[in-house]
Amino acid sequence: MRSFTYSRAGSAAEAVGRAAAGTAFVAGGTNLLDLMKADVLRPEGLVDISRLPLDRIEETAEGGLRLGALARNADTAYDERVQTRYPMLSKAILAGASAQLRNMATNGGNLLQRTRCYYFYDTATPCNKRQPGSGCGAIGGVNRIHAILGASDQCIAVHPSDLCVALAALEAVVRVTGPDGERSIPFAELHRLPGDRPEIDTVLRPGDLVTAIDLPARGFAEHSTYLKIRDRASYAFALVSVAAGLEMDGDTVRDARLALGGVAHKPWRDPEAEAALIGKPATPDRFRAAARVLLRDAKGHEHNSFKIELAERAIVRALTEAAERKGASRP
Amino acid sequence: MIAIPSIPGFLTEPNGPIGKPVSRVDGRKKVTGNAHYAAEFTLPDLAHGCIVSSAIARGRITRIDTAAALALPGVIHVFTHENRPSLAWFDRKWKDDDAPKGAPFRPLYDAEIHHALQPVALVVADSFELARYAARLVHIEYEAAPHQTDLRANRANSFTPGKDKGGFQPPPKPRGDPEQAFLASPVRVDAEFTQAAEYHNPMEMHATTVLHHDDGTLTVHDKTQGVQNCHTYICNVFGLAKSAVRVMSPFVGGAFGSGLRPQHQLFMAMLAATQLKRSIRVELSRPQMFSFGHRPETIQRVALGADRDGTLRALIHEAVQESSRNENYVEIVVNWSGQQYACDNVRLDYTLSRLDVHTPLDQRAPGAATGVPALEIAMDELACKLGMDPLDLRLKNYAETDPNTGNPFSSKELRACFRHGAERFGWAKRSPAPRSMRDGRELIGWGMAAGVWDAMQGQAAAKAVLGVDGKLVVSSATADIGTGTYTVMTQIAADVLGLPIEEVTFCLGDSSLPAAPVEGGSWTVSTVGSAVKAVCDRVRSQLIALAGKLENSPLKGVAEEDMVFADSHLIVRNDRSRRLSITEVMRGSGTLSIEEEARALPYLLARARHTFATHSAVFVEVRVDEDLGTVRVARVVSAIAAGRIINPKTARSQIQGAVVWGIGMGLEEEAFTDHRLGRVMNHDYAEYHVPVNADVPEIDVLFVEEHDDMVNALGAKGVGEIGIVGVPAAIANAIHHATGVRVRDFPITLDKVLAGLR
């Protein structure tokens, strides 16, 4: 491993102050340390934020929940308030990684995990995300796990998180403190599409520290689900995942949230697809129509075209389950 | 059902340890961390090596700049082809016991690159972390040459190999007129099957620790399935005296065939230790576990022709597999198809296509795990076309003798596997039509397949030392790769001499022990077990002789066959009050210890006239999501006929583990090669999928009674491979039964099912 400096921050302000160019914050380390060992990431310094008091889950004045950036994934998923009020979120977290990883990984780190694209990990191959300008190995290469939406000719990587897909559907807000003070970022704006700068995953600026994730009061607890489809029953990243939340008025959809994972550089939401559900009866045909709206620009590559059909079917299934579900179900 | 057949004249006592579910004698060591593996041995001044792997698939190195690496304090040396010492020149010096025909790969030999991830340099440093960092600073420039890694694109460019590898016979000549018989058959199946390349991926990565002693001798702790194979290899390659090196491998964290040949980390560690004259460890990274031996990618065609009553009229099985440019790795693939069913018109063809890859390597049931599933899916397709129960079709064409040779089987209780397996599974309740069973949104499918594997035996020697305290130490240079060799050999020795398990110690994994071949092919119980029995029989005879000579011996004049050994005593079979303890016999005769060595050979005459094989019948239930195509294996029944089961507990573990791998073969495992780069891309546990606990249902293992007094003195055949053979096909057939979708390409990932569900 390359040499790097290590320091432990005593406060958020101190952490931000130390975040010079080339440094990285480390908390759970479940992704960063792997990438350093693989020589994919080469930070010159690590600022350890794991002891900052950002690990609580608290009520917000607006009736929602504030998830501390350093709250562990497992603690978040098993928090009774999360389970009762945001079952979709709890289910999404538990669909990810393994029990051991969830015990280590933090919520903030989960947002910032890097893609699992093979080419990103293998330093002998081209990857614009790892080494800008080197090319995209996955385009024309092995691309079974890659994007069908929002990709560019520079990068077709996908964001691997499950948690983020649910946060996107719930319209969470990411709270950040940085050199310019504190600010809030609507979840949909946190991650960016690759475009011609695939090396940049998010809108965070150097020195920005995620402190919390605010969940709004509406949790779609009665009619929601998280459906993850993968190549084995556990410990695999999503080929396609769906976070679905509905508000029902009898058999009619009053409001809808729909986010897709495993298909793009960020959790994929589309207001038009949700609009296609609202005010309509909750039927498979309507769900399929909405899915087709969401997937209207989907484009496959040699090995991943199946994801388009799979995503459509998964959306129909997830919405069907969400509509059927009565009351909060524990995952 | 555990049924242990009795073989007259073998068991000394019906209540002896053979056939008992004895817990692993090394279990405590393993679970307490006291079993030490190759990368765990150390000395205070241990150096650490890190291998640099090639970035290209073919070409040559034009420049290596090691200056930046060497400039780091603590970096000791960087070995490359430019500064390597003189090494063996002749190919035969680089051969090992499992080498196929050809020129073995020579690490750091010259500038040529033959395959992706080829080792091109070894960085040696004071610490592992430093070595790994310095390895990244080694600057290498290549001149790339065009490469071919795509079997599909190169299938036409193949050749027919000969008898190029031990244990594998070329296919027999065609019999009858298969092409004409096929065309004349009223019911026909003709389909192509593919099997993706798979990597062994044992949990423990390959590692070697060489301890350099003050007198210049070396102790080599290597991850291997054959300490003596590695011993010979390194002595030949480095020109060392046999007595100067000792190879040890007492514990192996899984191997599955990957340890059958000396791997390059052994070469690298030896190179550094001999050149630097110090102790060193070299361990591969997980991605580097994709830099040698794999189950080769295979494309097959199976054509079956049958009468309307299900009688097979024609069977054609063709396979093309990848091998490297430098060696003819063969696993034949097709021969079991000619052996499994009675059919008069058969053609079996096997060819190789050379690609720019490292040489493939035996992986659990090499050949059979690839070829038999193709046959067994084709049989299922034929049953569907005939409107016949798949089990009935197999019984209809049951081979009573080996159709390939005309010889009888030494034993073959496959029929009992079918019967007991079907009964346990509830096969009779199967609704025959595809898509006719469901539970909510899940389509339920029941599928079955038969399996077969060879019951081989090699030559091995064993030594036994019985002390006056009644403790027995038996040794042989075999391996225990997690299979239970320690335990089973202990049981055999304890059984012959009537000793409690705790009084017997079995030693293995040390090149200085009596000769044993590589541990693989399910032949270790047969090969080494026979030697253990032979040497313990000698000790037994000695004890009887000594007992007969004692004054006032109650055993005087008793013939050997009238004596039994139990509870550490010699006992007269028909008068159990007449007995002496082993200790009494040895003390009384002034014998401090009895030492014997014996060598066991296969029954060559019987082997020339019979076919020796294990058989299985596998029944699988799958649940397939009707919309999403996701497949879940819900239950498995595996019925096994493998002769006498020495230890039903370890044998069951072998079958269960093999079924788990069969689930992986069937549904998950696949190395994705980027053919532009000639490189496997999913080279880690996150993206190369093997089954996780959540994928594995209850696995019900049955051993059917099978009596075999020709296979060896134990009547046991070995169970390492047979458990995997039928599983992928049973899963594929169950998926078809559930969905009506026939997938012939392994692994059956959900996209392949989805394509059929549309």
Side-chain angles (χ1 to χ4, degrees):
Chain A
M1 195 181 281
R2 289 168 197 272
S3 299
F4 58 88
T5 61
Y6 171 88
S7 67
R8 189 179 288 158
S11 68
E14 195 187 328
V16 170
R18 287 204 198 144
T23 59
F25 297 127
V26 63
T30 54
N31 190 215
L32 177 63
L33 299 186
D34 280 357
L35 289 166
M36 288 170 69
K37 289 177 191 170
D39 209 30
V40 173
L41 295 182
R42 305 168 180 182
E44 289 159 21
L46 293 186
V47 178
D48 186 344
I49 56 165
S50 63
R51 301 190 187 200
L52 300 184
L54 299 171
D55 60 346
R56 283 186 283 277
I57 298 174
E58 298 166 314
E59 298 287 342
T60 65
E62 295 76 31
L65 275 185
R66 173 164 298 169
L67 309 177
L70 295 176
R72 307 281 166 177
N73 287 177
D75 292 335
T76 308
Y78 293 117
D79 184 281
E80 200 173 336
R81 294 161 294 179
V82 174
Q83 288 187 311
T84 312
R85 288 151 59 183
Y86 308 95
M88 171 209 298
L89 180 65
S90 183
K91 204 173 172 191
I93 295 172
L94 296 178
S98 65
Q100 294 85 344
L101 286 165
R102 295 192 297 264
N103 288 342
M104 285 295 290
T106 62
N107 292 333
N110 189 300
L111 309 188
L112 304 181
Q113 64 182 298
R114 308 303 304 273
T115 185
R116 308 302 298 205
C117 174
Y118 320 116
Y119 298 86
F120 181 67
Y121 267 78
D122 188 334
T123 56
T125 66
C127 172
N128 286 325
K129 185 181 280 296
R130 173 170 38 77
Q131 196 181 343
S134 63
C136 174
I139 295 173
V142 179
N143 46 41
R144 173 179 165 76
I145 60 175
H146 289 76
I148 53 171
L149 286 164
S152 73
D153 59 1
Q154 300 285 306
C155 179
I156 58 170
V158 300
H159 195 262
S161 170
D162 292 298
L163 170 73
C164 289
V165 183
L167 292 177
L170 290 168
E171 294 190 349
V173 173
V174 180
R175 297 177 62 88
V176 171
T177 183
D180 306 328
E182 299 197 3
R183 67 186 200 281
S184 297
I185 304 171
F187 203 84
E189 294 170 20
L190 176 68
H191 296 100
R192 51 185 302 286
L193 292 178
D196 55 6
R197 295 297 300 279
E199 72 276 18
I200 306 172
D201 287 356
T202 69
V203 298
L204 295 183
R205 299 189 288 260
D208 277 352
L209 175 69
V210 176
T211 55
I213 301 156
D214 284 356
L215 302 177
R218 289 172 71 199
F220 296 86
E222 290 188 8
H223 293 285
S224 67
T225 194
Y226 184 76
L227 173 66
K228 180 175 182 179
I229 300 165
R230 44 186 157 178
D231 278 323
R232 62 182 169 193
S234 175
Y235 197 58
F237 293 92
L239 292 167
V240 168
S241 69
V242 186
L246 298 173
E247 281 186 6
M248 301 294 293
D249 189 356
D251 292 331
T252 304
V253 175
R254 196 168 57 220
D255 198 2
R257 297 281 176 78
L258 189 59
L260 228 52
V263 296
H265 204 254
K266 61 186 289 186
W268 195 260
R269 267 190 78 189
D270 187 336
E272 285 186 47
E274 291 167 11
L277 292 166
I278 295 168
K280 306 283 172 25
T283 63
D285 286 347
R286 293 288 181 182
F287 296 157
R288 192 166 297 110
R292 285 182 179 163
V293 171
L294 195 149
L295 294 162
R296 63 191 179 281
D297 294 324
K299 175 177 169 293
H301 293 267
E302 186 182 355
H303 306 118
N304 73 345
S305 293
F306 73 94
K307 280 190 177 186
I308 302 173
E309 166 110 25
L310 182 64
E312 182 183 313
R313 289 169 177 243
I315 290 168
V316 174
R317 170 64 62 81
L319 289 169
T320 304
E321 280 183 7
E324 284 170 359
R325 189 154 286 155
K326 286 275 180 268
S329 72
R330 297 173 89 88
Chain B
M1 184 186 71
I2 309 290
I4 306 302
S6 62
I7 297 180
F10 171 55
L11 289 178
T12 60
E13 274 288 89
N15 293 322
I18 284 187
K20 296 279 165 35
V22 175
S23 291
R24 285 170 194 273
V25 296
D26 51 335
R28 175 179 285 269
K29 275 188 183 171
K30 284 191 165 170
V31 300
T32 56
N34 287 310
H36 296 295
Y37 295 82
E40 296 183 307
F41 293 87
T42 195
L43 276 180
D45 63 339
L46 188 76
H48 298 261
C50 183
I51 292 172
V52 182
S53 304
S54 168
I56 65 167
R58 185 161 173 247
R60 62 195 316 276
I61 297 168
T62 53
R63 183 168 164 259
I64 297 190
D65 183 351
T66 60
L70 287 168
L72 292 174
V75 172
I76 298 161
H77 194 72
V78 180
F79 290 96
T80 70
H81 68 277
E82 292 174 349
N83 65 12
R84 69 160 175 83
S86 174
L87 296 162
W89 195 82
F90 291 106
D91 276 339
R92 64 182 161 76
K93 291 283 190 185
W94 295 80
K95 289 261 187 192
D96 66 90
D97 292 345
D98 194 41
K101 182 183 172 188
F105 169 65
R106 304 176 180 194
L108 303 190
Y109 206 77
D110 53 29
E112 297 298 314
I113 301 296
H114 306 282
H115 60 82
L117 292 175
Q118 176 178 320
V120 291
L122 176 74
V123 177
V124 183
D126 286 340
S127 74
F128 166 70
E129 289 77 10
L130 184 60
R132 184 169 60 179
Y133 173 42
R136 290 181 178 135
L137 301 182
V138 175
H139 177 76
I140 302 177
E141 290 170 18
Y142 303 93
E143 184 182 287
H147 62 260
Q148 295 291 334
T149 53
D150 187 349
L151 178 63
R152 190 161 287 282
N154 289 278
R155 63 190 293 187
N157 186 19
S158 70
F159 66 98
T160 301
K163 183 171 166 38
D164 290 349
K165 187 169 182 299
F168 293 95
Q169 294 294 332
K173 289 200 168 59
R175 52 182 185 262
D177 186 346
E179 316 299 329
Q180 185 54 39
F182 176 71
L183 291 173
S185 296
V187 184
R188 285 178 290 190
V189 168
D190 190 347
E192 185 167 291
F193 301 84
T194 60
Q195 169 65 54
E198 288 187 297
Y199 282 77
H200 300 71
N201 270 311
M203 193 102 82
E204 179 203 18
M205 291 168 287
H206 278 246
T208 305
T209 306
V210 180
L211 303 182
H212 188 280
H213 305 296
D214 292 342
D215 62 358
T217 62
L218 304 171
T219 305
V220 180
H221 293 279
D222 187 42
K223 178 198 178 84
T224 177
Q225 291 170 255
V227 280
Q228 291 176 329
N229 189 30
C230 289
H231 184 251
T232 305
Y233 174 83
I234 56 183
C235 288
N236 284 343
V237 167
F238 293 97
L240 299 170
K242 295 225 159 202
S243 57
V245 192
R246 185 175 175 193
V247 180
M248 308 281 289
S249 191
F251 292 99
V252 179
F256 314 115
S258 65
L260 286 173
R261 301 188 67 183
Q263 295 305 344
H264 57 253
Q265 91 289 339
L266 170 65
F267 170 90
M268 293 291 191
M270 283 298 299
L271 175 71
T274 52
Q275 290 299 301
L276 302 174
K277 310 222 178 299
R278 61 181 290 181
S279 302
I280 182 166
R281 174 185 305 145
V282 179
E283 188 175 11
L284 299 186
S285 67
R286 182 59 62 185
Q288 287 172 336
M289 291 297 288
F290 291 76
S291 69
F292 65 93
H294 58 286
R295 192 191 293 285
E297 186 179 356
T298 310
I299 304 170
Q300 306 176 69
R301 174 193 172 219
V302 178
L304 301 176
D307 287 341
R308 295 199 185 282
D309 69 352
T311 305
L312 272 180
R313 288 298 171 211
L315 190 162
I316 297 167
H317 190 169
E318 304 162 350
V320 56
Q321 271 191 315
E322 51 166 333
S323 190
S324 60
R325 303 258 177 224
N326 57 306
E327 288 175 310
N328 293 357
Y329 172 84
V330 298
E331 56 181 38
I332 306 300
V333 175
V334 296
N335 281 4
W336 295 275
S337 293
Q339 182 179 315
Q340 195 70 325
Y341 297 109
C343 183
D344 294 332
N345 302 288
V346 176
R347 179 169 62 79
L348 307 172
D349 279 327
Y350 177 75
T351 60
L352 289 183
S353 179
R354 291 195 193 284
L355 299 178
D356 296 297
V357 297
H358 46 253
T359 305
L361 181 55
D362 312 77
Q363 184 177 105
R364 205 167 201 168
T370 298
V372 173
L375 172 71
E376 289 295 305
I377 295 173
M379 286 294 281
D380 198 70
E381 296 189 48
L382 184 63
C384 288
K385 281 198 174 176
L386 289 162
M388 206 171 166
D389 185 285
L391 180 50
D392 292 340
L393 178 65
R394 286 165 174 88
L395 289 169
K396 174 95 186 166
N397 295 286
Y398 194 85
E400 302 290 351
T401 56
D402 177 359
N404 276 352
T405 60
N407 286 338
F409 291 95
S410 66
S411 58
K412 179 181 175 180
E413 295 295 344
L414 176 57
R415 211 177 250 117
C417 294
F418 286 141
R419 188 172 64 245
H420 293 300
E423 200 176 306
R424 179 70 67 89
F425 187 82
W427 184 257
K429 294 194 285 270
R430 180 177 183 262
S431 149
R435 294 184 76 92
S436 62
M437 293 161 64
R438 70 160 59 226
D439 177 7
R441 286 164 177 153
E442 282 188 328
L443 300 168
I444 299 174
W446 287 4
M448 59 86 57
V452 57
W453 179 249
D454 308 340
M456 296 178 278
Q457 186 179 348
Q459 294 185 28
K463 181 179 177 180
V465 180
L466 179 65
V468 71
D469 55 358
K471 292 188 191 300
L472 176 72
V473 178
V474 184
S475 56
S476 180
T478 183
D480 187 336
I481 57 173
T483 45
T485 311
Y486 277 112
T487 310
V488 166
M489 298 306 154
T490 301
Q491 284 175 271
I492 293 168
D495 200 285
V496 174
L497 289 168
L499 293 168
I501 289 287
E502 305 75 48
E503 300 295 306
V504 180
T505 303
F506 185 74
C507 301
L508 53 72
D510 178 344
S511 62
S512 68
L513 297 176
V518 290
E519 193 257 13
S522 296
W523 75 353
T524 299
V525 165
S526 198
T527 303
V528 181
S530 295
V532 169
K533 173 165 163 40
V535 76
C536 291
D537 279 342
R538 289 195 180 182
V539 174
R540 185 184 148 101
S541 300
Q542 279 228 34
L543 282 169
I544 291 169
L546 290 173
K549 287 182 204 152
L550 291 182
E551 275 184 48
N552 305 319
S553 170
L555 305 178
K556 198 160 272 182
V558 179
E560 188 158 345
E561 58 270 25
D562 295 327
M563 200 85 85
V564 294
F565 281 59
D567 306 326
S568 303
H569 280 72
L570 292 71
I571 306 167
V572 176
R573 190 186 303 277
N574 296 323
D575 180 0
R576 297 183 77 94
S577 66
R578 290 170 65 190
R579 53 162 62 199
L580 280 176
S581 75
I582 286 175
T583 308
E584 284 167 338
V585 172
M586 292 183 69
R587 278 206 193 117
S589 60
T591 309
L592 283 178
S593 75
I594 298 173
E595 286 193 29
E596 286 288 350
E597 193 160 334
R599 186 171 191 83
L601 307 179
Y603 297 162
L604 294 174
L605 206 59
R607 289 210 165 244
R609 293 173 183 170
H610 297 83
T611 293
F612 295 78
T614 52
H615 293 91
S616 69
V618 189
F619 298 84
V620 168
E621 176 179 316
V622 297
R623 303 281 184 123
V624 184
D625 188 295
E626 63 175 334
D627 298 318
L628 306 174
T630 45
V631 178
R632 176 167 74 85
V633 176
R635 62 194 177 99
V636 179
V637 172
S638 176
I640 304 287
R644 183 201 301 276
I645 302 302
I646 305 282
N647 184 331
K649 192 172 188 175
T650 53
R652 180 180 301 269
S653 294
Q654 282 297 294
I655 302 303
Q656 285 183 332
V659 169
V660 171
W661 198 341
I663 294 172
M665 276 192 92
L667 300 177
E668 296 170 4
E669 283 198 55
E670 177 172 19
F672 296 120
T673 297
D674 182 329
H675 294 300
R676 300 167 313 169
L677 303 173
R679 189 174 181 90
V680 173
M681 291 310 304
N682 55 335
H683 44 50
D684 62 49
Y685 265 170
E687 299 301 337
Y688 181 92
H689 289 164
V690 299
V692 295
N693 280 326
D695 295 317
V696 179
E698 188 192 336
I699 299 167
D700 199 350
V701 180
L702 289 76
F703 294 108
V704 306
E705 195 162 328
E706 186 172 75
H707 175 94
D708 194 324
D709 51 15
M710 276 183 278
V711 65
N712 52 46
L714 302 163
K717 290 179 174 175
V719 293
E721 344 271 315
I722 184 61
I724 194 172
V725 177
V727 180
I731 291 172
N733 296 340
I735 290 171
H736 177 262
H737 182 238
T739 62
V741 180
R742 180 66 72 182
V743 183
R744 302 180 185 89
D745 304 304
F746 289 117
I748 305 176
T749 45
L750 66 90
D751 47 307
K752 295 172 188 169
V753 179
L754 196 63
L757 286 176
R758 269 178 211 158

